[in-house]
Amino acid sequence: MPTIDILLPGFAIDTDQGYPAFCGVFLVRGADATGRPRTVLVDAAHVGRRPHLWAALAAHGLTAADIDTVVLTHAHWDHVQNIDLFPRAELLLHGDERRYAHAPHSNDWATPAWTGLLLEQLPIREVADGEEILPGVRVIALPGHSPGSIGVLVDTDAGVAAITGDALHFAYVATTRRNPLVFWDAELAARSIDRVVGAADVIYPGHDRPFRLTSDGAVDYQEPFALTVTGLRPDTEGLAFADGSSRPLWVMPGVDEQRTLYEKNAEEARRRMAGVPRVVRPR
């Protein structure tokens, strides 16, 4: 059976001065149809976590060159910035996400204008709902948070596991069934939460610990919380803690015009993709 390891845990940390945005990074290992071992990375985190990603790979006996495939659940900055570490890998993402990244909405602060250029550094295979990555490892479409958000379903010894990206940021979202941060379509995002909760036995959220839902709908975390904060002391003057049990719902201004703008910009995005030279790095 395929296996999942947490390379970097996801954390639900915000501040009043910006977002650390620590997404989960996951290692999926299995065999392809010929029986050859394959190593898949799901999401790559941002550059502030790069040294920790190197160390996590090494702790699993791997280097970046051992990664065959990088799957991006979506193209937001905190999930994509380290893809250049994996020059031997094929990059998998949804076609809608790829095209949108070349012409994002001006209010979409999670998809900077350079995102499309970054993605084209690796050979890309566009994937769609139900597509098999490896036997027992497949794509589930989860749009709404972004236009082409996807998850990865993995058949494990412990049941079906879902790596969700930010289609389901935090464990509590499985109980509220509302995505707290929407850049594309709030109703689609809600349906995607329902879909992944119905499909999975255990869920690996974008920014939280893996969990199961109990028979009465409560969150049952499968991993302990562990985080050390440096540079501050608990008694630092001015340091305060706010209730982090849930987030206010935020929908990007202009989200209602997204579909029209996306269709209008689709051809421009295709031209940009065709004109972007690949960055060839030594292997």
Side-chain angles (χ1 to χ4, degrees):
M1 301 286 283
T3 61
I4 301 176
D5 289 299
I6 301 171
L7 282 182
L8 296 180
F11 290 102
I13 304 172
D14 297 335
T15 80
D16 64 352
Q17 299 299 311
Y19 305 112
F22 290 158
C23 77
V25 179
F26 306 99
L27 186 70
V28 177
R29 287 185 275 199
D32 65 18
T34 70
R36 181 176 56 160
R38 306 295 287 176
T39 306
V40 178
L41 189 84
V42 183
D43 286 336
H46 61 66
V47 293
R49 305 190 82 186
R50 185 168 292 207
H52 302 277
L53 182 53
W54 279 325
L57 287 167
H60 285 80
L62 301 170
T63 69
D66 295 313
I67 301 299
D68 306 307
T69 305
V70 174
V71 180
L72 293 180
T73 60
H74 61 303
H76 287 170
W77 67 274
D78 53 319
H79 292 251
V80 306
Q81 286 184 353
N82 288 317
I83 63 171
D84 62 300
L85 292 180
F86 307 100
R88 297 190 180 189
E90 182 180 48
L91 185 66
L92 274 55
L93 77 162
H94 197 282
D96 287 344
E97 196 76 2
R98 181 188 187 186
R99 284 181 285 279
Y100 177 83
H102 283 268
H105 193 285
S106 58
N107 292 337
D108 188 344
W109 51 263
T111 314
W114 44 256
T115 305
L117 295 174
L118 174 65
L119 295 179
E120 303 302 326
Q121 292 186 79
L122 296 181
I124 291 176
R125 176 160 68 92
E126 297 180 6
V127 293
D129 186 53
E131 189 161 338
E132 186 177 83
I133 300 170
L134 296 173
V137 182
R138 59 199 176 278
V139 173
I140 180 172
L142 301 172
H145 172 70
S146 71
S149 283
I150 60 172
V152 178
L153 296 180
V154 183
D155 297 330
T156 73
D157 288 334
V160 177
I163 302 172
T164 69
D166 292 354
L168 199 156
H169 295 73
F170 317 114
Y172 82 82
V173 172
T175 64
T176 65
R177 302 298 173 97
R178 303 300 296 182
N179 193 301
L181 191 61
V182 172
F183 294 88
W184 183 254
D185 186 306
E187 289 309 310
L188 265 183
R191 290 202 291 270
S192 290
I193 294 166
D194 289 340
R195 186 180 189 206
V196 77
V197 168
D201 299 302
V202 61
I203 295 174
Y204 291 74
H207 293 267
D208 205 348
R209 291 172 283 158
F211 68 96
R212 293 177 179 269
L213 289 178
T214 65
S215 58
D216 60 354
V219 170
D220 179 17
Y221 280 115
Q222 303 296 292
E223 296 286 341
F225 181 86
L227 177 69
T228 299
V229 177
T230 60
L232 292 171
R233 293 175 50 85
D235 59 354
T236 298
E237 185 176 356
L239 179 65
F241 291 89
D243 178 10
S245 59
S246 64
R247 270 73 174 168
L249 300 180
W250 184 88
V251 177
M252 186 190 75
V255 73
D256 291 340
E257 63 191 14
Q258 278 280 50
R259 291 182 182 278
T260 300
L261 284 175
Y262 178 82
E263 305 223 348
K264 177 181 175 182
N265 293 333
E267 188 54 41
E268 178 188 352
R270 289 188 182 92
R271 287 197 299 270
R272 288 186 188 180
M273 289 188 296
V276 174
R278 280 278 320 282
V279 176
V280 179
R281 301 179 183 275
R283 296 187 173 186

